[in-house]
Amino acid sequence: MQIPLVNLTEQYVGIKTEIQTAINKVLDSTAFIGGPFVAEFETKFAEYCGVEHCIGVGNGTDAITIVLRAMGIGPGDEVITAANSFVATSEAITNAGATVVFADCCPDTSLIDTDSLNSLLSRKTKAIIPVHLYGRPANMDAVNEIAKANGLFVIEDAAQAHGAELNDKRVGSLGDAACFSFYPGKNLGAYGDAGAVVTKDKQLAERVRMFANHGRTSKYDHEFEGFNSRLDGMQAAILSVKLKHSERWTERRREIALIYDAELSDLEIALTPPEPKARHVYHLYVVRVKNREEVQSRLKKLGISTGVHYPIALPNLTAYRHLGHKTSDFPVATELSKEVLSLPMCPELTDEMVIRVCQCLRKVLNG
Ligand SMILES: *Cc1c(COP(=O)(O)O)cnc(C)c1O
């Protein structure tokens, strides 16, 4: 039995007719950029996040850069984010012209260590970008408290956490703005690149929309220079179809995680389970193992694909060598980067597949 990390084909086959009908409507109306399909998805996705405004953009990385620019953050400003994320989070800060300041993470959750935030603040700090890594909500109460006390913006990187919740509130509604990616492999994925910014703040929403569309105020007038980063009609129509299935898929991810939790509990390799007040949406199911490369290759031989998210903590990447960090500056993120292993996770896995992954992993770990 071959067990993939994700299975986009099977998901597509299940909704093929709906998708093709939606695509044909876009083609028939030639509403390729902007237009009713984008507007419809933006309305539905804002509602899904429990906020008033959603602006579709080209991808999740642009979403972060654009929101920073729309907040007036740029050269001379510092933005704090987690040391363990996908490079897009910190890259977007640099692309806005600001300076990245990394915070270490918590060993039991892999999320931003909010206890370290106060020591990272300077007069230049303008914003904090917590990442809801793997689909698990970051400690937003602590982040918001520190932000409020210091007059900072809070931008959620929700690229891995569509539909996650904290204290019965949706991720996307927990800061000043949130950024989503609809990269095909994400929990809500388009069939190409796509992203969105969501916010409750009307003025910010208007500025984000202008920044994403060349700083445009009318067809030929531009208040400032922005970006060309728009959600296209085809992707929006596809996303509207998939959004209808999103809750079902999310619940299936959570069911699979429960099976993993139960089957692997005695091996003590799982991260700490989420607090009861959090709804983790398991973009990834991550465990910690020693001698990871060996475990991975032995699982591969048994037909099981795994992933590593991420093998090098952000401050240790070549791209950030100029910051002059030592690995000992981020001990937890560095340690986690050596041990994390992502097990197969997607709604299409059967219970039998999940149990087989657990049996094989047990065999591999016990020699
Ligand atoms: C995927 C991802 C992004 C970037 O999204 P793209 O749509 O690929 O640009 C940003 N942050 C995190 C945590 C991600 O996983």
Side-chain angles (χ1 to χ4, degrees), residues 35 98 140 211 213 215 225 230 232-234 255 279 281 283 335 365:
M140 294 303 292
F211 263 103
N213 191 14
E225 292 175 319
R230 297 171 298 216
D232 69 70
M234 203 86 84
E255 265 171 34
R279 182 191 196 213
V281 294
H283 173 57
E335 185 72 14
L365 291 175

Side-chain angles (χ1 to χ4, degrees), residues 109-111 131-138 157-166 171 180 186-187 250 253-254 271 274 278-286 310 345:
T109 65
S110 81
L111 298 171
V131 182
H132 304 306
L133 197 69
Y134 308 150
R136 176 179 189 141
D157 181 340
Q160 301 189 357
H162 317 70
E165 289 172 13
L166 190 63
V171 150
F180 286 88
K186 299 285 159 87
N187 286 24
T250 299
R253 285 177 185 274
R254 287 168 53 76
L271 297 173
R279 182 191 196 213
H280 189 330
V281 294
Y282 295 96
H283 173 57
L284 296 164
Y285 189 93
V286 175
Y310 296 88
M345 173 54 88

Side-chain angles (χ1 to χ4, degrees), residues 59-61 64 85-86 88-89 131 157 159-160 181 183 186 194 310:
N59 57 69
T61 314
I64 302 172
S85 181
F86 179 54
T89 316
V131 182
D157 181 340
Q160 301 189 357
S181 164
Y183 178 80
K186 299 285 159 87
Y310 296 88

Side-chain angles (χ1 to χ4, degrees), residues 293-333:
E293 276 63 38
E294 195 194 326
V295 172
Q296 262 198 303
S297 74
R298 290 185 58 196
L299 284 173
K300 185 87 229 165
K301 284 194 195 111
L302 295 165
I304 295 165
S305 301
T306 55
V308 176
H309 302 87
Y310 296 88
I312 307 175
L314 295 178
N316 303 335
L317 291 174
T318 310
Y320 297 107
R321 191 181 283 161
H322 62 279
L323 296 177
H325 290 305
K326 301 185 293 296
T327 52
S328 56
D329 294 341
F330 302 94
V332 180

